[in-house]
């Protein structure tokens, strides 16, 4: 596995490790039961950046292999 892939997986692992903490923090910052928009936005931005990088890497690997693979999520 190349260094870039290891770094990508390390980022994914960090998100996995800290996602529960982020959710608890959002729950504690509720105002009258409403979640804080800034916290949701920040979490969404982090997840979106990671998702974009994961998909981009998959696309790169598909290009190397010559044909895209259809993802199966089960």
């Amino acid at each position: 596995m190349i260094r870039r892939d290891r770094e990508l997986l390390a980022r994914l692992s960090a998100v996995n490790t800290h996602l529960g903490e982020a959710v608890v923090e959002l729950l504690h910052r509720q105002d009258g039961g409403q979640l804080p928009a800034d916290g949701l936005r920040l979490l969404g931005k982090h997840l979106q950046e990671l998702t974009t990088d994961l998909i981009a890497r998959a696309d790169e690997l598909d290009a190397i292999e010559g044909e895209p693979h259809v993802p199966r999520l089960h």
Side-chain angles (χ1 to χ4, degrees), residues 15 19 22 25-26 29 36-50:
V15 167
L19 185 58
E25 178 67 23
L26 287 172
R29 293 184 54 211
D38 62 335
L40 288 173
R41 190 173 291 108
L42 182 60
L43 180 57
K45 185 176 186 281
H46 286 300
L47 293 172
Q48 183 179 38
E49 288 171 359
L50 180 58

Side-chain angles (χ1 to χ4, degrees), residues 20-37:
E21 295 169 7
V23 170
V24 169
E25 178 67 23
L26 287 172
L27 289 170
H28 282 107
R29 293 184 54 211
Q30 284 182 335
D31 183 14
Q34 185 170 330
L35 293 171

